Amino acid sequence: MEARDAELKKELDATLHARRELGEEYESALVDSFLGKVEQRLDGTIDRRMRRHMAEQQMVVARGSRAPNSPVDSWGERFGFGIVSLILAIPLSAIGVVNADLPGLFVTWGGIVGVNAVHSMRGMNFGRRVDRGRKSEWDD
């Protein structure tokens, strides 16, 4: 990484030196040339990242598992879980009311709401560590 930064710094120094020697009439061409080199470097970095991402996705598909950065579940799974919990809520509500009247109903529905809330938050990154090992965005 540092070698590439040093290379880019050398390019900038060479561009500035050439600007001093050639004068202001070549400034636009020199800046365009330097920006072209920066753009090529960015394109290369993006290209490497996209190839890596595509390779990871192909591995995931080949293994038949979920992508490591994909959501934990799909919309269909959440919808199905909600439907099943509502269907099970009917007999659970009846059991709660028969055994403990209105407080039993509240406890039953509190549990149903709690289970659905926890299930819906499964894909969120609460408390998970984020990889901060990269020192620069130029790394691939």
Side-chain angles (χ1 to χ4, degrees), residues 14-98:
T15 302
L16 292 173
H17 182 72
R19 194 260 181 221
R20 280 191 293 268
E21 286 185 8
L22 297 174
E24 289 184 23
E25 61 270 5
Y26 291 100
E27 182 174 338
S28 178
L30 291 170
V31 169
D32 287 342
S33 173
F34 178 73
L35 290 178
K37 292 173 185 175
V38 171
E39 184 178 4
Q40 286 176 347
R41 185 163 168 186
L42 284 172
D43 287 344
T45 301
I46 291 170
D47 187 46
R48 282 190 302 276
R49 286 183 181 179
M50 288 303 296
R51 280 192 307 234
R52 183 184 315 129
H53 179 71
M54 293 301 291
E56 288 172 357
Q57 293 300 320
Q58 288 173 351
M59 291 296 294
V60 166
V61 169
R63 291 180 183 158
S65 63
R66 293 185 190 170
N69 294 329
S70 70
V72 174
D73 55 5
S74 66
W75 180 84
E77 184 180 339
R78 289 190 312 261
F79 183 74
F81 188 83
I83 294 295
V84 169
S85 69
L86 287 175
I87 290 170
L88 291 175
I90 296 168
L92 290 173
S93 296
I95 293 169
V97 168
V98 166

